Amino acid sequence: MTDATNRTEIQVPESVKADSQAIELFRFWWSNNEPVMAIKPAFDDPKAYGHMLAIAARNIAHVYHQGKGRDEAETYKLVMAGLNEALKGPGFETITEGKAPSAQ
């Protein structure tokens, strides 16, 4: 899936570091051939996460265009095709590893 050069932590953008109101919504890894994530239920309306996923799809296409020279519109179609396949497919089991300790 990826080579060792891509296995570095993604850096937090400076604009986020400078924003005292910024919150991290989720973290996502690919581990042992499956997705692993930590999600914060940060929005009152979960539909906001759907909006965020749509924005992420557009940004993924843009990153592939900038970083790999791929056609942005075609890449977006591929991202959406993958999303549609996943929504129709068997999916992955949700497993909770445990509740995070509460901040005191």
Side-chain angles (χ1 to χ4, degrees):
M1 165 159 254
T2 183
D3 62 28
T5 60
N6 288 329
R7 296 183 54 100
T8 59
E9 186 174 319
I10 296 172
Q11 299 300 308
V12 177
E14 292 300 321
S15 61
V16 173
K17 289 179 184 178
D19 180 2
S20 64
Q21 300 297 309
I23 59 169
E24 185 171 41
L25 299 172
F26 69 92
R27 290 188 180 201
F28 194 107
W29 301 267
W30 194 260
S31 175
N32 297 313
N33 289 324
E34 63 184 16
V36 178
M37 58 195 84
I39 303 170
K40 181 184 294 184
F43 300 114
D44 291 334
D45 183 355
K47 186 169 60 173
Y49 270 101
H51 292 201
M52 185 182 63
L53 292 171
I55 293 165
R58 292 259 182 225
N59 279 276
I60 290 165
H62 183 72
V63 167
Y64 269 78
H65 173 68
Q66 294 292 315
K68 297 185 177 272
R70 306 240 357 208
D71 179 84
E72 195 164 333
E74 193 57 39
T75 302
Y76 176 73
K77 289 178 189 175
L78 291 170
V79 170
M80 294 308 294
L83 177 64
N84 287 325
E85 286 174 11
L87 289 171
K88 293 176 188 173
F92 293 89
E93 181 180 1
T94 300
I95 301 171
T96 304
E97 290 189 7
K99 209 170 185 181
S102 60
Q104 304 230 13

